[in-house]
Amino acid sequence: MHAVLRKIAKGYTVCYSEVFPDQDNDYFHLAYMGKLFLIADSYCLNPDCTCQEAALNFVQVYPREDKKNADSFMVRFKLNGRGYKIHEQGHFHRREIKSIMMHFNADKKVGKLLNERFKEMREKTSEILS
């Protein structure tokens, strides 16, 4: 937990899997057009911050195309339902990211789940800081 506290103090986002590492659902998975993505969700846990976003890091784990590092991109997903902003594009085109995001949140359940996870993270942070 010390690493999590350091990240909070420095204003970094904290990955859900860092706070709840034994969960079966600590990462999201997405199959899209023959590609498989692993998605890590991170949140700002600074108790004084009012941001309502999830930082989503999409890592393409299949196919790897003989690259040393996996292709990835990151978006800041607004938890109030007002879209997202591309934070890091990687080797992906903006149109492809838009299409992946539409597929990822097609049924709007992801937004609800991200809000629940954000609430869990904030509650755990309050517990740790108390």
Side-chain angles (χ1 to χ4, degrees), residues 1-68:
M1 256 331 139
H2 295 295
V4 170
L5 293 174
R6 277 194 295 272
K7 284 185 174 184
I8 294 169
K10 291 181 178 183
Y12 298 148
T13 60
V14 178
C15 190
Y16 184 83
S17 65
E18 288 180 84
V19 177
F20 301 104
D22 297 327
Q23 302 272 338
D24 288 333
N25 59 351
D26 54 354
Y27 295 100
F28 293 96
H29 300 86
L30 176 69
Y32 173 78
M33 304 282 291
K35 298 176 181 177
L36 181 61
F37 292 91
L38 185 67
I39 305 144
D41 54 325
S42 301
Y43 306 89
C44 173
L45 298 180
N46 180 339
D48 298 328
C49 186
T50 60
C51 71
Q52 297 285 311
E53 296 179 333
L56 302 177
N57 188 17
F58 286 72
V59 179
Q60 182 180 325
V61 293
Y62 178 85
R64 291 289 295 266
E65 300 175 11
D66 294 329
K67 294 180 182 176
K68 211 174 201 180

